[in-house]
């Protein structure tokens, strides 16, 4: 899948152990802003979750199979031309990825969304042998 029209520009990245903090610049031409909503574009929640999983897999090496979500909160819209901080933390024992999108507004930290995503290791398909 070509993600060039659906991924933000990564401005900076700080990776420590099972955590990473990314600063993302949201180009207004990102395909996810189109049609959501024409007069007031905002970043869809499904995109925020997709980016959290995408970057955690590439940077933290988290498992690849989506297995559910807990405590997902969308508090403030994320708009085009905004720089946001995406904080990711992986708990391998619980197989949970914690994510949080924040930004700064006049010196105050604004939380846009947060939650936990369950991820599992992909299982190899079972080989079936039929003897007749």
């Amino acid at each position: 899948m070509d993600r060039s029209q659906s991924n933000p520009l990564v401005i900076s990245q700080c990776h420590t152990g099972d955590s990473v903090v990314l600063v993302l610049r949201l180009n207004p031409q990102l395909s996810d802003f189109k049609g959501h909503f024409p007069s007031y574009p905002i970043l869809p929640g499904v995109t925020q979750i997709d980016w959290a999983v995408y970057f955690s897999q590439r940077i933290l090496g988290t498992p690849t199979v989506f297995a559910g979500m807990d405590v997902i909160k969308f508090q403030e819209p994320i708009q085009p031309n905004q720089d946001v901080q995406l904080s990711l933390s992986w708990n391998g024992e619980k197989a949970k990825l914690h994510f949080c999108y924040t930004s700064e507004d006049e010196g105050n930290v604004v939380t846009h969304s947060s939650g936990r995503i369950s991820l599992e290791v992909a299982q190899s398909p079972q080989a079936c042998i039929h003897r007749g």
Side-chain angles (χ1 to χ4, degrees), residues 13-26:
Q13 172 180 315
C14 182
H15 180 192
T16 308
D18 289 336
S19 298
V20 66
V21 177
L22 303 164
V23 176
L24 309 174
R25 176 149 303 145
L26 306 185

Side-chain angles (χ1 to χ4, degrees), residues 46-105:
V46 69
T47 300
Q48 295 173 50
I49 292 167
D50 178 62
W51 287 352
V53 172
Y54 175 80
F55 286 115
S56 74
Q57 290 171 348
R58 272 130 196 93
I59 299 167
L60 302 176
T62 60
T64 59
V65 177
F66 178 84
M69 298 182 289
D70 301 310
V71 197
I72 303 298
K73 296 179 184 174
F74 297 101
Q75 297 160 283
E76 292 291 328
I78 298 175
Q79 297 181 291
N81 291 318
Q82 197 166 9
D83 287 353
V84 294
Q85 180 174 292
L86 170 57
S87 301
L88 301 169
S89 180
W90 173 244
N91 181 329
E93 288 180 20
K94 295 182 178 181
K96 300 268 185 183
L97 173 67
H98 179 265
F99 74 92
C100 186
Y101 286 88
T102 59
S103 65
E104 233 181 82
D105 184 26

Side-chain angles (χ1 to χ4, degrees), residues 1-7 31-32 50 54 58:
M1 174 177 156
D2 178 19
R3 296 184 69 100
S4 62
Q5 293 298 307
S6 61
N7 275 356
S31 61
D32 297 273
D50 178 62
Y54 175 80
R58 272 130 196 93

